[in-house]
Structure formats: structure tokens, C-alpha cells
Amino acid sequence: MHIQTKENLQAIILDHVTNGSISDIHTHLFSEDFGDILLWGIDELLTYHYLVAEMFRFQTDLPYEAFWKMSKRQQADLVWQTLFIDNSPYSEACRGVLTVLGRLGLDVSSRDLNAYRDYFAQTSVADYIDLILKLANVSTVCMTNDPFVDKEREAWEKLNHLDMRFHTALRIDPLLNEWSTVWEKLNEWGFAVDKEITEKTIQGIRSFLKYWIVKMNPLYMAVSLPPSFAYPEDSVRAQIIDQCILPLAREVDIPFALMIGVKRAVNPALGQSGDGVGRADVAAVENICRINPDNKFMCTMLSRENQFELTVAARKFRNLHIFGCWWFLNNPSMIEEMTRMRFEMLGSSVTPQHSDCRVLDQLLYKWDHFRSIAAKILIEKYSDLFNTGWKISEEEIRRDVGNLFGGSFWKFLGRVDPSASSFELTP
């Protein structure tokens, strides 16, 4: 049945955007199976690198080394005092913390950090995962799984099964960005390679990737790349992509996700907070999609200046799926601008957002804040359709919102979300 009035149209859109279930296609979260690698709770929220970098803007006399020597609780105390008490917390990262506390039913107006800590101290991680996924209305999240991280690799070796709500993505940054040092690690782990890209090296890298693909069952392989990334080029990275990554990705039918634009350690003293952003060349994305038409590619770029060209590229290559408002772009003004542009040029054949959460609690604010922006834009776009005389049904709105909240991603993969049942990991 077609919707008859604009008022009813707006109400239906708001309902489906507010209550629609989301498949979060890129996070840095972990299931309970990984132990303390999963970050959650108020002190982790407050010491998230967004807030740490912001805090140092005000604490100009505090030596970086002095902060890093503090305990987690002391760091959180300082961030709270600096950003929430001594200054008004209207940055997006600060507002996000308050959104989380409010959604948990805590009294934001009390400003009582110790009371918030008491709440988390009385909560088990298993119960908290259940609660956050329910409150955020997120059905599944995709982890970032890096076998080059010792603690994570050790956890994987002990796993026999995974929480069905947590999908995997094989992250391979060191393989492509630090080959001059990591090739020795592959040898240590039993994958015979040379420093040079020989046939032995190619076979060793492929064996390494196959081992982790079998173990993880990833939805995609992913890499974070600098603004200088070019393709094709005469480099070790390009050789590994062409001779190892892309053939294997075709063989197992998973996408290769390119996350482009990170300038590492712009300020090393800030630690994880010290990375920056740079404009990249979208021609690299166009080239890799054109030269490899049988591969599927996902892409998100960090620089605002790249977004229009990337969206145009997605119109030209059906083997390219763009996703998310990544990292520094995860601010309301940028999200609204990018999402409106993508809707206008790509319709619902895009995944407009991923949470990129490193702390479980952030699912609440990342998705609450995005839903309000998405609803605003979709009300505008469907109203434009309504004004032309086009008849719209509630089922069509439900379909479109479902595509935007993960459905288009799963269709691009050519898979059905397997979250309805857990899967066993191959030993």
C-alpha cells in the first residue's frame, strides 16, 4: 500500500531508520573469546585516542611522557577533568561519551565519574556485549583481525569457535607496508620467504594468507595505506598485491578493502593519537578496479578532498564498493555532506557508514548519531520523490534502509549474513 501523505512518509522513514538492525562492516572490536583485547567501559572510553589528542590541546604544559606513565584510571581522570569539567564537551568525541552514558541510563547531569565506574564494575563482559548490541540495534560487527599482533595471534591459536555476532576481516598492513622487516617473521612462523620477491616468496606469502583465511573465515582482506599509494607501480607492495593478494582474493571470492590516506606518526609523541591525514590519488583506485575486473574491491578514503572523486569512481566500477565516513571524517558535518552526496550519486548501492569502534560502548553513539543524520537526509530524498508524484510503499523504505544498513555490503559479497548460526573454526 502506497504512503498517502508527507507526514506519514516522514514518520515511516524515521521509524525504520531509528529501529532498523545494522550490520557494522568495519570495527576494531573483539568478541569475549579474545579476553582483554576487547576494550569496554568508562576508562577505555575516556582514554580513546580521539580524546587523548584533544586533551593535549588544553594541557600544553603536560609532557607527553608524563601522561603515558600514568595508570589508565589516572589518564581517564585527567581527560574527564580537562574536557568535561574545565571545558564544555561539545566535540563529537566528547558528546559521544555522554551519549553512551545517557543510553545506559546513567545520570549525565551528575558529572560523577566514580558513579559511572561503579556501574561498569558491577557488569560482566558477556552481559555488557549483549546489552550494547541490543541498545545499538546492531546484529553483527566485523572485527579487524591482525595476525601480526602477537597477543591477537596467540588468542587465535586457542580458538575453536566464534560468537556468531562477530565476523572477521584479515588485516595485512605489515605485509604490504613493512615488508623489509616482517619477511623475517613469516620465516619464524614457518612460511618460507626471501627478502626479495622471488617465486619462493610468492608461494610463502600465499601460504601464510591461506592459513589465516582458513582459520578466520574472513569477509574480506584489508589494508590501511598512505596517501602516496599508487597503482600500478614498481614496488614490493605492488608485487605482493598483484602476485599474492589479488589472485588469492579471486580464488576464495572475497574483496580486497583499501583504506587510503593515513599519514603515520605525524607526531610520534602522541602514540596512537599521533597519526594524520593526507590527500591521495583516486586514480590508484580506478586503476586497480579496471586492471582487475574479476576482483572485488572495497574502499574508504580519509581525506575529505577525495570523497567526490571516489564516489564518481564507484559509479564507473561495479566491482568497487565504497563504505563509511572513516576516522577524522566521523563528524556530523562531514557525515552529512558525504552521505547526501553518495545517496545522490549511488542510491542505496553503498554502505554509508561503519562505526570503526575500538571500544565496545562506542557502538551506541556512533550509530545513534548516524541514524539521526541518515533519517534527515532520507526524509529529504523521499520527499523529493513524493513531490514528483512517485508512489512509495513502506516495504520499499524498509528494503532501502536495510540495504544502507548492511544489505548492500552482503549483496556485494554475494553472501547471506551467516549470523543466524555460529560457525566452527578450522584447526
Side-chain angles (χ1 to χ4, degrees):
M1 183 176 180
H2 295 139
I3 299 168
Q4 301 300 317
T5 67
K6 273 192 179 181
E7 291 75 17
N8 193 23
L9 174 67
Q10 293 176 6
I12 289 172
I13 294 168
L14 184 60
D15 176 56
H16 285 287
V17 173
T18 301
N19 298 308
S21 181
I22 288 171
S23 185
D24 193 338
I25 75 167
H26 174 66
T27 77
H28 295 270
L29 302 177
F30 294 90
S31 68
E32 186 183 5
D33 311 282
F34 290 85
D36 61 6
I37 302 179
L38 170 63
L39 304 180
W40 64 287
I42 186 63
D43 286 347
E44 295 293 351
L45 277 173
L46 291 174
T47 54
Y48 181 53
H49 64 86
Y50 283 23
L51 285 93
V52 169
E54 189 176 335
M55 179 273 298
F56 273 115
R57 296 286 302 165
F58 296 97
Q59 294 287 349
T60 55
D61 295 328
L62 175 67
Y64 294 118
E65 299 79 7
F67 179 79
W68 300 123
K69 289 179 180 178
M70 295 178 182
S71 68
K72 178 80 68 173
R73 186 184 182 102
Q74 289 171 328
Q75 291 175 350
D77 285 339
L78 180 59
V79 171
W80 178 260
Q81 183 66 40
T82 303
L83 298 184
F84 293 81
I85 305 303
D86 296 341
N87 297 277
S88 294
Y90 59 75
S91 72
E92 179 65 4
C94 287
R95 182 172 76 109
V97 173
L98 301 181
T99 296
V100 170
L101 296 175
R103 292 281 269 118
L104 292 172
L106 300 174
D107 182 6
V108 175
S109 67
S110 74
R111 306 189 180 191
D112 189 342
L113 181 55
N114 287 327
Y116 306 148
R117 285 180 171 136
D118 289 342
Y119 169 84
F120 290 99
Q122 298 169 22
T123 304
S124 73
V125 63
D127 290 342
Y128 197 59
I129 291 172
D130 292 344
L131 176 64
I132 293 298
L133 293 178
K134 179 180 179 181
L135 290 176
N137 201 358
V138 170
S139 58
T140 62
V141 301
C142 188
M143 304 180 286
T144 295
N145 306 105
D146 189 343
F148 292 93
V149 175
D150 292 340
K151 195 170 184 180
E152 185 176 345
R153 188 178 63 258
E154 292 164 5
W156 272 106
E157 298 295 356
K158 299 175 184 177
L159 286 177
N160 294 314
H161 68 278
L162 269 180
D163 185 325
M164 64 184 182
R165 299 167 296 182
F166 290 78
H167 299 301
T168 59
L170 176 56
R171 190 68 172 256
I172 52 175
D173 291 31
L175 191 65
L176 293 178
N177 298 328
E178 304 166 30
W179 178 251
S180 62
T181 58
V182 304
W183 72 276
E184 294 178 310
K185 287 185 177 293
L186 266 66
N187 280 310
E188 291 174 13
W189 298 332
F191 302 96
V193 296
D194 297 320
K195 188 175 183 179
E196 296 73 28
I197 305 300
T198 61
E199 185 60 32
K200 172 185 172 183
T201 301
I202 292 168
Q203 294 305 316
I205 294 174
R206 287 187 181 182
S207 295
F208 170 78
L209 293 171
K210 286 181 180 179
Y211 174 84
W212 285 105
I213 287 171
V214 169
K215 181 170 283 291
M216 291 181 179
N217 188 27
L219 299 182
Y220 54 87
M221 287 187 280
V223 62
S224 178
L225 295 162
S228 59
F229 172 67
Y231 185 93
E233 66 173 357
D234 183 15
S235 68
V236 169
R237 178 165 56 207
Q239 291 180 69
I240 295 174
I241 289 174
D242 283 339
Q243 299 182 61
C244 303
I245 307 298
L246 297 183
L248 187 54
R250 287 194 298 270
E251 179 183 328
V252 298
D253 193 23
I254 60 175
F256 182 33
L258 308 170
M259 308 177 71
I260 308 172
V262 180
K263 294 172 69 175
R264 296 295 184 192
V266 171
N267 182 357
L270 271 174
Q272 193 178 58
S273 308
D275 295 339
V277 55
R279 180 173 180 172
D281 188 352
V282 177
V285 180
E286 296 170 338
N287 292 340
I288 201 169
C289 290
R290 184 182 66 255
I291 295 170
N292 304 281
D294 295 327
N295 277 94
K296 295 176 182 178
F297 297 95
M298 298 163 57
C299 188
T300 189
M301 300 185 82
L302 193 51
S303 172
R304 179 192 181 195
E305 288 74 21
N306 283 135
Q307 301 311 315
F308 176 67
E309 286 182 86
L310 180 62
T311 304
V312 172
R315 286 175 60 92
K316 307 306 173 184
F317 296 98
R318 61 184 179 180
N319 61 335
L320 174 62
H321 188 80
I322 63 175
F323 67 101
C325 302
W326 182 30
W327 204 339
F328 302 112
L329 294 170
N330 193 65
N331 289 297
S333 58
M334 297 293 100
I335 295 170
E336 181 169 347
E337 174 186 295
M338 290 171 59
T339 302
R340 177 173 277 107
M341 175 179 64
R342 289 167 169 179
F343 286 1
E344 289 171 352
M345 298 181 71
L346 302 174
S348 62
S349 66
V350 63
T351 301
Q353 187 60 306
H354 64 271
S355 73
D356 205 27
C357 290
R358 290 184 181 271
V359 183
L360 177 66
D361 320 54
Q362 293 170 338
L363 285 172
L364 294 177
Y365 95 77
K366 293 288 186 77
W367 287 114
D368 273 18
H369 293 187
F370 177 73
R371 286 179 196 269
S372 65
I373 295 170
K376 175 183 176 181
I377 298 170
L378 286 174
I379 286 172
E380 174 189 310
K381 295 307 174 188
Y382 281 111
S383 294
D384 289 344
L385 284 180
F386 190 89
N387 289 339
T388 69
W390 184 259
K391 300 299 183 181
I392 307 163
S393 70
E394 181 172 358
E395 181 52 41
E396 289 170 334
I397 292 173
R398 180 186 295 110
R399 174 201 62 197
D400 295 346
V401 172
N403 284 335
L404 296 172
F405 282 0
S408 289
F409 166 73
W410 287 102
K411 290 176 183 177
F412 181 72
L413 264 57
R415 297 173 62 174
V416 175
D417 185 345
S419 61
S421 61
S422 61
F423 64 89
E424 295 297 312
L425 294 169
T426 303

